[in-house]
Amino acid sequence: MITRETIDKVFETARVEEVIGDFVQLKRAGSNYKGLSPFSEERSPSFMVSPVKQIWKDFSSGKGGSVVTFLMEHEHFTYPEAIRFLAKKYNIEIEENEVSQEDKFEANEKESMFLVSEFAKTYFQATLFNSEEGKALGLTYFKERGFNSETVTKFGLGYSPESWDAFTKEALAKGYQLDYLEKVGLTIVREDGKHFDRFKGRVMFPIQSLSGRNLGFGGRILTNDKKAAKYLNSPESEIYHKSKVLYGIFHAKQAIAKQNNCYLVEGYTDVIQMHQAGIENVVASSGTALTSDQIRLINRLTKNITVLFDGDAAGLRASIRGIDLILEEGMNVKVCTFPDGDDPDSFSRKNSFEDLVHYLENNSKDFIQFKASLLMNEANNDPVKKADLIRDMVVSISKIPDRIKREIYIQECSRIMDISEQVLLNTLAQLVQKDISEAAKKGKQEYKALEIVKNENHTAQDKVNIIYELERKIIEMLLLYGSLEADFDDFILKGNEEGEMIEEKETSTVKVYQRIYMSLQEDEVELANPLFKEIYNDLIAYYNQTEQFNIEHYLMNLSSEQSKVITDIVMLEEKELLHNWETKQIYVKSKNQNVSQYVSETIVSLREYLINKLITDLISNYKNEEENDLEELKTTINDYNKLKVNLTNKIGRIRSTYL
């Protein structure tokens, strides 16, 4: 078990903006950073990172928390894994307490699959370098491809022996369960119970996530067996989803963000050879058709994609279909083709780094130029084909969300294809209107369904929301202003010399958390929401133990559910930055301009609500009372009504006092 001292050191050292910056492209927004949500599909940034508070908040999905919470949410790490990941990143030595044997094997199914996959990666590489078969077949193949030892080690390349079950035997001997070997697709288990290695006799390409976790493998056969697939990938599993993974993203992420561009290729060896040549901002779709999930993975790091095609003209037409998907995500697309007979792998081997960079810079065309020239060659002056290709071009342009970009591309398309802009604009308008109509129709159907649900639950929702919002405000005040000192006014009845009772104002200076605690204790009020109640009790205990509130330190020991609530509140002000209200001459008044009023009004409003609820409950039981108890019940209801009037008056006095 990792010691508390190590965990504290990790939290003190790790910078939330640096860690998240490896996964999400962040831009400055005042004292904070903002970017596109890594948890949901969006085109406008709603993801905020606060270096000052060392927390993050994703307003589109509601997730939020500390740097550790981010890794747990984004990479599905366990808490210890996230700590280990950060310790490794910041070169912090991990100290551990002794753990029982039972605890070592207490891992959930997903974690067990990750462990099996990581073991396989280590095994395949050790086999490549240390066994005679591995060196003779696997290592020789990689050397023939031009990969040096440093590159082979960097990408974790390996070799799976020709024997039917060499890997499976070794894994079982090391204590890994057959069930998990099968689930990650490394071992195939037949109905009769016999098992064999899926990747036998293949060189192995580990496939890693954005954070470097091993998800699956690609294996290339080394024989000329026409019955066997040349390349074989891990099957879909709990940890490997082919459509959501890009080969090489772990090694490329920093270069992509730094260069603000991502080269997209087709195969594993294309990525590896370009890396070895010095071009590191490159990833592969692993031979599959490009998907929206893969594009969004790149979109977190850059808005610019350059698609690299080999000189095979036959495959170009099918390949460029993925460009429309890239455009739909609002990204900028360029295309670069290599000379006939070359692909990114072979071209990188033939040329120096300088020549490769020069070629890519000078031969990357905007997608409109590339697609137009390609389709024009196919049309070959056939009027019907030309009409079809023009419509094809406009369909691509219609995918672009930005209206200004669309118009610029229409102008360029008009010039290249020698057709009037007006015709293209009319065609574009028809396509866009069709998309809008379909979206509106879908939205109308969803709205109707939502209205039905809202109407059914309207009354109940009103009752829940009032108490929820008031209790949430109390948590908000404790988080944002708990350690502040403020002047609070109380109105107390006192007798004067004539024996009359008059109201006098008394002012006391206390910390906000003390005022809230004393007020709720005095009225014997407990928060109804279980989560708010947990946080409230925890915050009061925290304030009683420390002078100053430190959000980063406080979040260390909270559950993800608690972190979500707290970061939602703490980052509320940062959320306003996303709207840029001030640029629209709308100025939002800050609550801390009058903390005393905010605290006092909230507490009195909560008391008023609870009294209203008591009166309602008493009236609902009115008919069930015995006749001799009715007078007592009426008196109680009247007393509560008087108290409610006093509270209403008190709210008015609070507001007038702080105006």
Side-chain angles (χ1 to χ4, degrees), residues 162-218:
E162 182 65 33
S163 170
W164 280 100
D165 61 353
F167 164 74
T168 303
K169 271 185 180 178
E170 182 68 14
L172 293 173
K174 294 289 185 183
Y176 294 96
Q177 295 178 24
L178 183 62
D179 185 36
Y180 294 121
L181 294 171
E182 183 183 18
K183 283 180 177 177
V184 295
L186 288 162
T187 301
I188 296 174
V189 181
R190 298 194 320 197
E191 289 183 5
D192 61 6
K194 291 184 179 180
H195 48 72
F196 56 92
D197 298 343
R198 180 182 295 273
F199 295 103
K200 79 177 193 70
R202 292 176 182 265
V203 285
M204 302 299 291
F205 299 84
I207 300 167
Q208 295 171 288
S209 70
L210 198 65
S211 67
R213 302 203 86 184
N214 211 70
L215 306 175
F217 295 90

Side-chain angles (χ1 to χ4, degrees), residues 614-630:
L614 277 172
I615 292 171
T616 303
D617 291 343
L618 286 170
I619 291 172
S620 66
N621 293 327
Y622 192 89
K623 293 178 182 178
N624 300 325
E625 292 293 330
E626 296 292 333
E627 196 169 324
N628 56 347
D629 295 326
L630 286 179

Side-chain angles (χ1 to χ4, degrees), residues 489-493 503-505 597 601 645-659:
D489 294 326
D490 289 305
F491 300 91
I492 299 169
L493 288 173
E503 199 172 59
E504 286 188 6
K505 183 174 78 172
Q597 179 186 0
E601 271 193 41
V645 171
N646 288 336
L647 288 171
T648 304
N649 292 335
K650 189 172 183 179
I651 291 175
R653 287 196 295 273
I654 291 168
R655 287 174 180 160
S656 63
T657 300
Y658 292 108
L659 285 176

Side-chain angles (χ1 to χ4, degrees), residues 16 31-33 48-56 571 574:
V16 67
S31 61
N32 301 302
Y33 290 91
M48 297 292 292
V49 177
S50 171
V52 176
K53 297 169 183 173
Q54 282 298 294
I55 58 175
W56 60 277
M571 295 290 277
E574 277 75 3

Side-chain angles (χ1 to χ4, degrees), residues 140-159:
T140 298
Y141 169 79
F142 287 131
K143 285 180 179 178
E144 287 174 353
R145 296 304 301 243
F147 301 152
N148 58 39
S149 295
E150 185 182 341
T151 299
V152 170
T153 303
K154 176 182 178 180
F155 283 88
L157 305 182
Y159 176 75

Side-chain angles (χ1 to χ4, degrees), residues 250-289:
F250 171 66
H251 296 292
K253 61 185 178 183
Q254 291 183 344
I256 291 170
K258 188 176 180 180
Q259 302 292 333
N260 196 23
N261 183 43
C262 177
Y263 290 113
L264 181 64
V265 296
E266 187 176 352
Y268 305 130
T269 57
D270 295 327
V271 170
I272 298 169
Q273 199 65 253
M274 289 189 73
H275 264 263
Q276 187 168 282
I279 306 293
E280 296 189 345
N281 53 324
V282 55
V283 298
S285 58
S286 303
T288 63

